[in-house]
Amino acid sequence: PPIRLAITVTVLSCSRLPAVSSTDIFDTQVSVQLHGVGETDKIEKTPAIQDNGFNPRFQTDDTTDGARFTFVVEDAETAMLGIRVWEVNKVEFNTLVGHACIPALHLRPGHRSIELYDLQNNKLPHASVLCRFSKHVIMA
């Protein structure tokens, strides 16, 4: 039988994001998506952080650090967690700054710095997303 998991992702911050457009100052948003066989491709997004494209912090209120999302994974052996960082543009389409994809079974609980890659899958030097992960098995 497939392994079912509940995964909680808290996006805390990004660091050293490269400018992908002509402007050095941009608004930043992170999306987290679950991919896999039998998964619903659920997408969650952080609030856009205004005018901080280099080192944004995601804080939902004064007491909570980070934007928290929970996913139910139906088959952890095939599921992947995709993390994408976007340059948010109010006039045109959003632009992808960097991305990462992690197998659900390989997620380790705790704080993790996730390295980012560009559209050609080249590592973006020093660019990362800081997340806190927790997971537990759902018994049938």
Side-chain angles (χ1 to χ4, degrees):
I3 300 170
R4 295 184 72 219
L5 295 175
I7 296 175
T8 300
V9 180
T10 305
V11 179
L12 300 169
S13 65
C14 298
S15 62
R16 300 189 58 108
L17 298 177
V20 293
S21 66
S22 58
T23 178
D24 287 338
I25 299 174
F26 56 92
D27 301 343
T28 307
Q29 184 176 57
V30 175
S31 67
V32 182
Q33 182 173 11
L34 185 65
H35 305 278
V37 176
E39 304 303 338
T40 58
D41 282 341
K42 177 181 175 184
I43 300 174
E44 297 284 0
K45 296 179 181 178
T46 65
I49 302 300
Q50 305 297 313
D51 299 329
N52 189 349
F54 184 69
N55 193 18
R57 286 190 51 178
F58 300 92
Q59 192 167 359
T60 54
D61 58 40
D62 290 338
T63 60
T64 306
D65 195 23
R68 181 176 296 130
F69 312 113
T70 299
F71 298 89
V72 174
V73 180
E74 297 300 328
D75 186 357
E77 293 178 342
T78 62
M80 303 285 283
L81 193 69
I83 298 174
R84 293 176 182 83
V85 179
W86 299 92
E87 176 182 324
V88 178
N89 189 325
K90 295 173 188 71
V91 179
E92 300 173 9
F93 295 105
N94 296 342
T95 305
L96 183 67
V97 175
H99 70 95
C101 204
I102 308 159
L105 281 180
H106 292 249
L107 285 173
R108 295 186 333 216
H111 290 81
R112 302 287 174 233
S113 179
I114 310 299
E115 296 177 333
L116 294 175
Y117 295 83
D118 65 14
L119 286 173
Q120 291 76 37
N121 284 326
N122 297 313
K123 185 176 168 184
L124 292 169
H126 312 291
S128 64
V129 178
L130 181 63
C131 296
R132 182 174 50 244
F133 295 103
S134 66
K135 70 178 181 178
H136 67 273
V137 176
I138 300 173
M139 304 307 277

